[in-house]
Each structure stands twice: as C-alpha cells, then as structure tokens.
Amino acid sequence: MYSKMKKEAAAAAVVSQNGSVNGSQNGLSHSMAALGLDSAESAKAALPDPTADENGGEENDVKVDIKRGMDTATFRRVGKQMVDYVADYLENIGDRPVLPNVQPGYLRDLLPGAAPERPEDFEKVMEDVESKIMPGITHWNHPNFHAYYPSLNSYPSILGDLLSSAIGCVGFSWIASPAATELEVIVCDWMVKAMDLPSHFLSTSETGGAVIHGTATESTLTCMLAARERAIKDWLKEHPESGYFDAFSRLVCYSTDQTHSMIVRNASFIGIEIRRLHLPEGRTSLNRKEFVQAVEEDKAKGRIPFFVCGSFGTTSSCDFDPVEEIGPVCMSERIWLHIDAAYAGAFLFCPEYRPLMRGIEYADSFNFNPHKMMHVNFDCSALFLRCVEDLFDGLKEDLLSGLKLMKIFKEQGIPDYRHWEIPLGRRFRALKIWFVLRSMGLQGLRKSLRHHVQMADHFAERMGADPEFEVLTKSLGLVTFRVKDTDAVNALLYNLICDDGRIHLNAAETGNPPTYYLRFVCTSHAEQKDVDFAFDVIKSLTARLRSRRLSLSEVQAEREKMLNNLAQQRRITSTG
Ligand SMILES: Cc1ncc(COP(=O)(O)O)c(C=O)c1O
C-alpha cells in the first residue's frame, strides 16, 4: 500500500511539472484539455502504474516464470505428481460416487469471486481440485456410468493429448506444422482400411479424403454446407433464370424423428427447412417408401431436396437406417447422403458388425466419434468424404476456388485442413488417435468393443429373465428396458435411480403417444460384477417404489420431476 501511495504522489508531481512545458494546440491536446490533462506526457503520467498490483505489490517482485508459467524443475516435480494423480484417479474411480451430490451454483460458494493477484503454489491448486472440483464431477469413466453414450479415454490417448498440448501447434495449414497435417491424413487412411470403409474415402482415391473435427455436430454442419452449395449450383445450371437466393429458399433436408437433435440445430444454423420424418409406432428407422414419398411431395411443391442424415446407431435405441434402400434414391435425386455413426461407427473395427453398414458405398459422407468407443478422449470426430471438392465449395473463401484447392490436395496428397472445417485453428488430434492405435492395436480395440457388447448382453439377459421387467431393444452396447407397468411407474423408478446416485443412466421416450423407458450402456470399465450391481440397484429400487403408496399429488409431483429430468437430458441425448 505504502509503495502505491508513493507512486501516486510521484505521478501527481510529474503532471504539475510537465503541465507548463507542453502546450501544443493539436487535436490531441484539445481532448487532453477536455480530460483535464495538458499533454500526452501528463496523460501517461496520470495512468496508474502498470507494475503496481491491487495490493500495492510490485510485479517486479513476483516470482513467476513468464515463459512457461512455472519453472522447469517445478514442472517436472508436479507433472510427475499429476501423472500419479491421474493414475490413482482412474485406478480408484469406482470408490467415488458416479454422480456428484451438489446443487447448482455449489462452486461459486467455494471459490473466490476474483482471480488471485499473486501466484499460488501448485500444491494449493491441487488441494482445491480434490476438495472442490472433484465433488462436482460426473465420472464418465466410472464402472457405474451407464448414461448417454460413453466417452472412453485411455492412458495412450491422455499421453497423446499431453504431448499435443506441449507442442501447442495450430495446424491450419501444412507449413503451420507439417507432421500434424500428415499424421492426420495417415491415421484417417488407417481407419478407412481398419473399418473396411469404402476406398473412395482414402486420401489416395480420386476425389475423397478425411478430416478430424471436434464433434459430430461440426462434421455434419460442414457436410450440410457443402451439400447446400452443391444443390444450389446444380439448380442454377438447370434454371439459369433463377437466382442464388431463390434456390436457397427452396432447399429442404431430411432426417427421421430418431436422428440426433444436432441435425435440427444445424439446419437452423444454415437457415434451411428440415423435415423430421415421423416414423410409425414401433419403428425406429426410415424405409425407402417413406423417404421417396417425402421427396416427391417436396419436389411437387417446387422444393429442392438436397440432404438426408441417415443414422448408423440412433441415440435412443441404437437403430440403423437402411442405407442400401435410401442410398439409390439419393444417388438418382442427387441428394447428399450423410451417415451419422457417432457412436456405432467404431464397431466397424469388428468384422462381425460390418453387415450393419450395407449400402455405405452410397454415402457422400460418413462420420464417427473416436471419442466415444475408440478410447480416444474427447474431443475427436472423424469425417470421411466421397468428394472433398464439394466441401471446399461449401466453405469457400475468396482466395482460392474449391477446384484449385482440390488440385493442390490431390497432386501433393497434402491438405491445408483449414479449408475443411469451420474454425481456422485446429488441435493436433491425430496424435492421440495414433498413440491409441499403436498402443492398443486393432486387436486391443476389437477386444474392448466386444467386451462392451458382452456386458450389455449380460444386462439384457438379467433383465429378460426377471418377470418384472421387459427388454425393449438391445443393440451393440445399448439396452432399453421398462418395468412392466405404467409410464408413471417407470418415471418414478428413473427419479429414484437419480436420487439414489449409485448408478447413472438416462431415460428416453419414443413413439406417439410416447412410451417412456430407460437406457443402459456400459463403458469398457464395467465388468460383470458392475453390471450385476447395476441390475441389483434397479431391482431393489423397483421393490421400494412398489411398496410406496403415493397420493395423487405425489404422483403428479413425480411426473413433473420426470419431465424436468427428460428436459434436462434432452439437451444431450435428444431424439425428438
Ligand atoms: C448418434 C449421435 N449423433 C450425434 C451426436 C452428437 O455428437 P457430438 O457431441 O460429437 O456433436 C451424438 C451424441 O452423443 C450421438 O449419440
């Protein structure tokens, strides 16, 4: 405080000394005068001393490494401790509650309202991690986590991310970090081969290629933009009298009411009408007849059908749209066929699941999230394209036309990935994929995927063998089930599971009128004993709810709670 006062006094002295010396009549000095200052010098002097901090301390006294935030010796020490912390966390994750027991806003009460002026010891930060942050974490890699779809991590992936952070490159063009770009091309080609995807997705194919984005939402958005421009171009060729915005206003795209809600958001981002085709009761995938009928209806109204998002593993029941039926329609109508395989795509590493992808050769784009089932930690979404040039057209910029970009990419086999995505900057995500592929091998990945399916099968068997429950669907690692009772009872069960907190799963609803049900997914961390534990928790809570006699108002309250829970979930797992 004392030194701050000294500085203020010194600054005031400078103002009075200099004030009489500088008196130029330029605009600046006019505005200075308006501020009660006589010159630029005096203005400078009136500014607070930038080296003084709030508490009167001096930045010059601060012991901090301004190059790296901490000195290397400390980094080595706490970095090794952090690796131990991460290993202990993951090794003993089952000892923590899977769901945090905190109320909204809990953290605000625990942390200061402003950032610290002075550097703090990292040990102190870590104490707060354990005492304040961890109690507010939902543990996605916990053996009792059966919600959403998994986001598996792995040590190789964590190490890949660590190294990527250390390198810290922003590989938007080849020269911005050649290895970042080239490794991305290589791991994408590896995935095409390992998953037996069509060879037109390879970088070495005539027109195709692949790119790694952060999320399925972004991947799908870029495809919708590409499809939009392709459709407008086609329309203007056939209708030269029409204009760009006339064509734009005629565009319509499709999904079913089971397709992930990202499609609705994306359609609104790009200003296009979407038709969510409602499937008849009891069916969760599209058929050719319904699709053709919708396309014909729209064409008759002068609309331009231009994009359809087929699901390879829906969120609500992991169902598959019959791509071999709708693919030929897309081909003949030149409708862009995008396949959202965010969760289920990884299962294509296992040959036994490949029959599910019949017709994939019709797809213009195929997208899956390695950050779900491939042990690559969030975020990481791989997008494979039949014709990369379409993408360049969709994201076109002034300097280079799509054609030129395509020529450069195909001649050199080297993309400038900034032209393949919405942001300019991009992380070096290929590193973590590469680490996982090399450390686990394809055999390790297949083993993990098969274990996941076996655990879900075991859960379905236990549910199916119990007369109190019915299994509605079982697909890959997802089981949907209900108590054989009313929706209200199922809602009550779900609320009890949430309140109990020993396991975490989601509910969903489908059909019209909707049927309410629960979803159960495993992570590869779950073993049979964990699945049995989950079943026992559900069974005991069902027994508890049956023993309760609820008044009408209690039933209404439970229903409201269920609707709230559903609304909350819908932000993430929505299909409707
Ligand atoms: C089938 C499906 N598609 C798309 C998404 C959206 O994924 P992202 O969060 O990567 O955008 C999800 C999310 O879980 C999903 O399950």
Side-chain angles (χ1 to χ4, degrees):
M1 199 62 204
Y2 171 70
S3 76
K4 194 177 177 195
M5 283 161 63
K6 256 191 357 191
K7 275 177 185 301
E8 278 169 4
V14 172
V15 172
S16 65
Q17 273 171 21
N18 290 350
S20 55
V21 179
N22 281 321
S24 78
Q25 293 301 305
N26 61 21
L28 179 64
S29 58
H30 275 307
S31 41
M32 293 292 170
L35 287 169
L37 300 168
D38 291 335
S39 68
E41 266 311 302
S42 58
K44 252 196 246 162
L47 289 172
D49 182 339
T51 64
D53 70 28
E54 288 282 292
N55 301 317
E58 300 283 341
E59 278 177 9
N60 293 339
D61 301 340
V62 168
K63 287 196 178 47
V64 67
D65 184 311
I66 59 162
K67 282 195 213 146
R68 307 213 164 88
M70 67 174 53
D71 64 83
T72 303
T74 308
F75 176 68
R76 281 187 202 282
R77 182 172 53 77
V78 297
K80 282 169 192 158
Q81 284 168 7
M82 180 59 95
V83 169
D84 282 339
Y85 183 86
V86 168
D88 287 343
Y89 166 70
L90 288 173
E91 192 61 21
N92 303 313
I93 196 168
D95 297 341
R96 296 176 187 261
V98 59
L99 261 188
N101 183 17
V102 291
Q103 295 303 313
Y106 89 99
L107 198 53
R108 198 170 273 281
D109 294 337
L110 296 180
L111 294 183
E117 269 303 321
R118 311 286 297 179
E120 295 184 76
D121 284 344
F122 198 71
E123 276 79 1
K124 262 190 82 190
V125 180
M126 285 308 291
E127 274 169 25
D128 282 352
V129 166
E130 194 48 45
S131 64
K132 298 178 174 125
I133 303 297
M134 280 297 175
I137 297 289
T138 300
H139 300 285
W140 281 60
N141 285 276
H142 194 292
N144 298 338
F145 185 92
H146 305 294
Y148 315 113
Y149 275 137
S151 181
L152 298 183
N153 63 11
S154 63
Y155 290 136
S157 175
I158 293 168
L159 292 173
D161 233 10
L162 178 64
L163 181 56
S164 165
S165 299
I167 294 169
C169 64
V170 185
F172 45 80
S173 62
W174 178 81
I175 194 58
S177 212
T181 295
E182 296 197 19
L183 191 62
E184 189 159 327
V185 176
I186 289 166
V187 294
C188 286
D189 282 350
W190 281 11
M191 289 190 284
V192 171
K193 290 175 193 165
M195 297 164 79
D196 202 19
L197 296 177
S199 59
H200 60 239
F201 291 146
L202 287 170
S203 66
T204 47
S205 68
E206 211 170 300
T207 58
V211 57
I212 301 169
H213 289 165
T215 62
T217 307
E218 285 165 76
S219 295
T220 310
L221 179 60
T222 55
C223 294
M224 292 173 86
L225 288 167
R228 185 184 78 184
E229 293 311 299
R230 188 180 84 173
I232 293 178
K233 225 178 182 179
D234 286 352
W235 173 266
L236 292 178
K237 241 186 252 162
E238 275 182 35
H239 303 86
E241 75 291 353
S242 167
Y244 182 92
F245 290 105
D246 174 42
F248 194 125
S249 66
R250 294 169 184 270
L251 293 170
V252 55
C253 61
Y254 306 89
S255 76
T256 72
D257 53 10
Q258 298 293 303
T259 312
H260 193 274
S261 57
M262 68 166 176
I263 198 74
V264 177
R265 300 181 65 218
N266 281 345
S268 90
F269 291 157
I270 66 167
I272 297 287
E273 182 192 335
I274 179 154
R275 276 190 71 182
R276 297 271 273 173
L277 302 174
H278 292 293
L279 300 173
E281 183 66 43
R283 195 147 49 73
T284 49
S285 63
L286 186 62
N287 72 24
R288 185 180 191 282
K289 197 167 149 236
E290 283 149 358
F291 181 50
V292 169
Q293 191 183 333
V295 168
E296 290 305 328
E297 270 169 23
D298 284 323
K299 279 171 49 183
K301 287 185 209 154
R303 314 299 305 271
I304 310 173
F306 81 105
F307 180 93
V308 59
C309 182
S311 293
F312 184 87
T314 55
T315 311
S316 53
S317 61
C318 197
D319 204 351
F320 300 85
D321 285 324
V323 178
E324 79 273 26
E325 283 185 28
I326 56 176
V329 182
C330 292
M331 275 284 182
S332 66
E333 298 288 338
R334 224 166 126 72
I335 296 172
W336 184 295
L337 173 59
H338 175 74
I339 306 295
D340 168 25
Y343 162 73
F347 287 87
L348 297 176
F349 284 112
C350 303
E352 64 270 32
Y353 299 118
R354 290 184 193 150
L356 290 170
M357 70 163 177
R358 258 193 300 269
I360 193 182
E361 61 280 4
Y362 291 109
D364 290 283
S365 48
F366 174 87
N367 173 228
F368 91 104
N369 282 353
H371 72 229
K372 283 187 160 45
M373 289 305 299
M374 208 186 135
H375 289 275
V376 176
N377 57 292
F378 188 83
D379 58 354
C380 191
S381 184
L383 173 65
F384 302 89
L385 295 140
R386 173 196 290 277
C387 179
V388 178
E389 192 187 322
D390 289 333
L391 198 64
F392 298 149
D393 274 354
L395 302 166
K396 65 177 172 278
E397 54 175 66
D398 298 338
L399 289 178
L400 291 169
S401 71
L403 212 61
K404 262 194 205 154
L405 286 170
M406 187 68 182
K407 198 159 175 285
I408 296 166
F409 166 49
K410 283 300 162 188
E411 274 176 11
Q412 301 174 357
I414 305 292
D416 270 346
Y417 271 128
R418 69 168 185 260
H419 301 295
W420 299 52
E421 63 182 10
I422 291 160
L424 172 76
R426 59 200 327 273
R427 303 178 58 224
F428 189 0
R429 297 189 185 94
L431 205 51
K432 56 187 177 183
I433 299 188
W434 191 52
F435 276 27
V436 168
L437 284 172
R438 294 189 62 184
S439 302
M440 293 186 73
L442 294 174
Q443 289 181 354
L445 277 179
R446 284 186 211 117
K447 193 169 173 183
S448 163
L449 290 158
R450 287 171 184 148
H451 169 78
H452 174 82
V453 174
Q454 276 166 13
M455 290 303 97
D457 286 351
H458 179 64
F459 181 79
E461 259 168 43
R462 294 227 42 200
M463 277 281 154
D466 192 311
E468 199 157 24
F469 300 105
E470 62 178 317
V471 171
L472 303 177
T473 61
K474 177 173 74 86
S475 173
L476 299 178
L478 174 66
V479 181
T480 63
F481 68 97
R482 276 171 64 84
V483 184
K484 285 184 191 157
D485 211 317
T486 58
D487 270 7
V489 167
N490 278 278
L492 209 59
L493 173 62
Y494 177 62
N495 293 340
L496 273 181
I497 293 171
C498 290
D499 293 346
D500 176 82
R502 281 177 291 168
I503 62 171
H504 185 36
L505 45 72
N506 302 128
E509 56 183 4
T510 188
N512 189 14
T515 308
Y516 190 79
Y517 61 90
L518 287 85
R519 290 169 86 255
F520 179 92
V521 204
C522 275
T523 67
S524 61
H525 309 290
E527 294 167 15
Q528 191 159 315
K529 68 176 172 39
D530 303 306
V531 175
D532 287 334
F533 175 75
F535 177 79
D536 292 343
V537 168
I538 296 166
K539 178 83 184 154
S540 69
L541 293 176
T542 308
R544 198 194 300 169
L545 87 90
R546 290 223 187 274
S547 68
R548 278 171 66 184
R549 279 174 190 277
L550 294 180
S551 67
L552 193 59
S553 63
E554 279 175 312
V555 170
Q556 269 164 355
E558 289 295 339
R559 193 173 158 70
E560 220 144 85
K561 197 164 159 191
M562 162 196 108
L563 291 174
N564 273 342
N565 274 327
L566 261 187
Q568 223 173 25
Q569 276 177 47
R570 207 173 261 132
R571 280 184 237 144
I572 302 161
T573 59
S574 167
T575 57

